[in-house]
Amino acid sequence: MKKQFAIIGLGNFGFYLATALFQKGHEILGIDINAKQVQEIRDQISRAVIADATDPQALKELELGKMDAVVICIGSILNNSILATLNVKDLGVKRVVAKAVSDPHGRILRKIGADEIYFPEKDLALTAAQRLDNPNVLDYLPFIEGYSIVQLAPPNSFIGKNLIELDLINRFGVQVIAIKEMVPENVIMIPTGRFVVKHSDILVILGPDAALAELQEEPE
Ligand code: ADP
């Protein structure tokens, strides 16, 4: 499903995030205070504008309230990152995501109301360490063009049925590779066909992107 995202700060992280989301078919508004960054990305996303995100009025004019999420990708200037996040929160945006460069930075962003916080350097370092220590095939699967692994909250029509009855492999061409149970918290890898889906479960499913998109559109 096509979503609308605004990316504030088009440095390295913001640039790659904005262009990757655009390539996945979403509508992307890119915002940066620096004309050079805006010029560079202009042809690679839906719209790019020069604006200072520390200025509430400038952001108000961009109608960020209608976005599915706004991601603040300002790292190096702490003051600007904090003010931009505060301003975006004040606009009533439903999902505010912010990048942090350190743990204290992340704590501040959480205190002022960011819904999700990314620590790209820290997270990539941990992933790299894990990959170097113990290469795992799951790290490579997302790079197989056209296939993904997604997490799906089961639609109502799935509840109370087992995986044989749901027959997702024949109906959609996808495979349930794991189930995350929430009460109590537990992960079942490679569930058997007898597993009965509960409301509180999350299904982890591998399949072609088109089939996964179709499955995600299943009525609630
Ligand atoms: P990265 O490490 O991902 O390149 P930076 O923090 O270096 O991250 O880059 C942040 C980007 O945010 C830069 O392109 C900068 O011009 C932009 N930026 C900084 N302050 C503001 C602001 N007040 N409003 C909008 N964009 C900003």
Side-chain angles (χ1 to χ4, degrees), residues 8-14 31-34 37 51-55 73-77 80-81 84 99 101:
I8 301 180
L10 303 166
N12 282 316
F13 183 79
I31 301 164
D32 202 290
I33 197 169
N34 183 338
Q37 309 294 104
D52 179 356
T54 65
D55 172 5
C73 308
I74 305 172
S76 44
I77 316 169
N80 289 11
S81 157
K99 163 184 127 160
V101 293

Side-chain angles (χ1 to χ4, degrees), residues 44-79:
Q44 301 180 60
I45 58 174
S46 320
R47 190 156 82 98
V49 297
I50 305 169
D52 179 356
T54 65
D55 172 5
Q57 193 52 38
L59 288 186
K60 208 169 185 184
E61 283 161 18
L62 294 170
E63 297 185 327
L64 300 184
K66 64 177 191 189
M67 297 288 165
D68 291 289
V70 175
V71 190
I72 296 111
C73 308
I74 305 172
S76 44
I77 316 169
L78 199 64
N79 197 35

Side-chain angles (χ1 to χ4, degrees), residues 152-159 197 199 203 215-220:
L152 181 79
N156 272 339
S157 56
F158 285 23
I159 312 299
V197 177
H199 218 284
L203 312 182
L215 187 63
Q216 284 168 320
E217 307 261 291
E218 274 282 285
E220 281 293 296

Side-chain angles (χ1 to χ4, degrees), residues 145-182:
E145 193 63 32
Y147 282 78
S148 304
I149 295 173
V150 299
Q151 301 194 37
L152 181 79
N156 272 339
S157 56
F158 285 23
I159 312 299
K161 298 207 173 103
N162 68 28
L163 295 179
I164 294 177
E165 291 167 321
L166 288 175
D167 197 21
L168 300 183
I169 199 155
N170 288 309
R171 286 170 58 211
F172 294 94
V174 302
Q175 179 76 48
V176 179
I177 57 171
I179 309 264
K180 284 190 190 172
E181 291 186 302
M182 295 302 172

Side-chain angles (χ1 to χ4, degrees), residues 6 12-13 17 23 25 39 42 57 70 103 105-106 114 121 124 163 171 178 180 188 196 209 219:
N12 282 316
F13 183 79
L17 180 66
Q23 282 162 21
Q39 189 58 34
R42 180 154 276 153
Q57 193 52 38
V70 175
D103 285 338
H105 185 185
E121 299 228 307
L124 182 59
L163 295 179
R171 286 170 58 211
K180 284 190 190 172
I188 301 168
V196 178
D209 290 338

Side-chain angles (χ1 to χ4, degrees), residues 23-41:
Q23 282 162 21
K24 286 182 184 295
H26 300 294
E27 203 178 309
I28 307 299
L29 167 65
I31 301 164
D32 202 290
I33 197 169
N34 183 338
K36 188 167 155 277
Q37 309 294 104
V38 170
Q39 189 58 34
E40 223 161 81
I41 207 168

